Amino acid sequence: MTSITLPRPDDWHLHVRDGAAMASVLAHTAAVFGRAILMPNLKPPIDTTAKALAYRERALATLPAGSTFQPLMVLYLTDATTPDEVRAAKASGLVHAIKLYPAGATTNSDHGVSQLDRLDPTLAAMAEVGLPLLVHGEVTDPSVDIFDREAAFLDTIAEPLLERHPTLRMVVEHITTADAVAFVKAARPGVAATITPQHLLLNRNALFEGGVRPHHYCLPVLKREVHRQALLQAATSGDPRFFLGTDSAPHAKHTKEAACGCAGCFTAPHAMSLYATAFEDAGALDKLPDFASRFGPAFYGLPVNADTLTLVREPWTVPDAYTFGEDVVVPLWAGKTLGWRVA
Ligand code: NCD
Ligand code: ZN
Ligand code: ZN
């Protein structure tokens, strides 16, 4: 196969930050993807419908004239999010989900939820109006081993939550373990997961390949090879509960190459090349269109994009850095060659 054409894909998990930084990174996504879920973990967080709509306007203002890219907005769930805010979000028609960051779990999660069961009325309102809960699925208890935090979240928080709210829809974001694959497969209808390119391509050895590799550090952290294999199997299985979400999470170069480096891998420009590489290595390139272009819209109740994207088999070397506002950001795979590129 020398080329592959698929319905234009969407990115169901993306960080674009704000201001000049957003203008630099969103352009890469908008050149390839039709729509993207813009994650709300800004400082301060996007925790009201009014803030989400204003953020959407700022995102649209960065796009070139004629761009048809659509930013899909998400509210950041806090201890103070009310059922009325949920209803306002739904009524806007532009907010597609609400995001749970356990307080302290990841980048800009300080305003996240400290006690989830206190939010039952808010979660009940989400189930009622049909807004899915997107979760960063890791417990924050520092005594739990970092490699076990996802599995612990699913057992101790997600499972009881789904039982308390039997019609609440949920996406377990950026899954990293065989445990998460099994959890989603065994769950009742309405539970799905996104999978990133880095978790399909790398295992935790990549964090220490000849030395500490800050550009391979994201949360949830890379896991053992057995988990990577389970994710690849899920992504290429044709099961509609597993779909594309890059979790492209740009941080300025100096904030990652630091004594306490930030978590996040930047993949917006070449995400489709990375996914194509992973799917091809698994002998399942034919499964890429469903994963990248069809299963996400089906979960969110949106149409598949009408236009297409073509990837061609052509060696392409990933740049060492991209502009990021006043700074630069180092992409995943920097300086290395990939076998596929967007035509
Ligand atoms: C994300 C970020 O930088 O915003 N980082 C990451 O490592 N994935 C936050 C997140 O998705 O957890
Ligand atoms: Zn996260
Ligand atoms: Zn993320």
Side-chain angles (χ1 to χ4, degrees), residues 62-141:
T62 70
L63 299 175
S67 172
T68 56
F69 174 79
Q70 290 176 47
L72 308 178
M73 310 317 292
V74 175
L75 292 194
Y76 185 120
L77 186 67
T78 74
D79 288 336
T81 309
T82 61
D84 280 348
E85 191 62 57
V86 170
R87 290 187 195 100
K90 180 67 181 182
S92 75
L94 297 168
V95 174
H96 295 266
I98 301 188
K99 180 73 186 268
L100 165 63
Y101 290 102
T106 186
T107 305
N108 297 345
S109 60
D110 318 347
H111 294 84
V113 173
S114 60
Q115 264 187 289
L116 192 58
D117 44 5
R118 290 212 191 144
L119 282 167
D120 275 339
T122 300
L123 296 162
M126 290 173 60
E128 184 194 313
V129 303
L131 273 183
L133 181 71
L134 315 184
V135 302
H136 178 108
E138 288 192 288
V139 295
T140 54
D141 178 349

Side-chain angles (χ1 to χ4, degrees), residues 36-49:
I37 285 275
L38 300 194
M39 286 296 171
N41 60 331
L42 303 190
K43 269 183 167 168
I46 303 296
D47 57 359
T48 64
T49 305

Side-chain angles (χ1 to χ4, degrees), residues 12 238-243 289-300:
W12 301 98
D239 184 328
R241 293 172 290 188
F242 300 97
F243 51 84
D290 282 344
F291 174 81
S293 313
R294 295 195 185 96
F295 293 160
F299 181 86
Y300 280 91

Side-chain angles (χ1 to χ4, degrees), residues 211-228:
V212 175
R213 297 297 189 135
H215 299 293
H216 292 163
Y217 173 55
C218 66
L219 288 170
V221 70
L222 296 172
K223 304 295 193 300
R224 284 178 183 276
E225 178 64 9
V226 59
H227 295 295
R228 186 183 79 91

Side-chain angles (χ1 to χ4, degrees), residues 13 15 39 99 101 174 247 249:
H13 185 138
H15 302 269
M39 286 296 171
K99 180 73 186 268
Y101 290 102
H174 48 41
D247 193 24

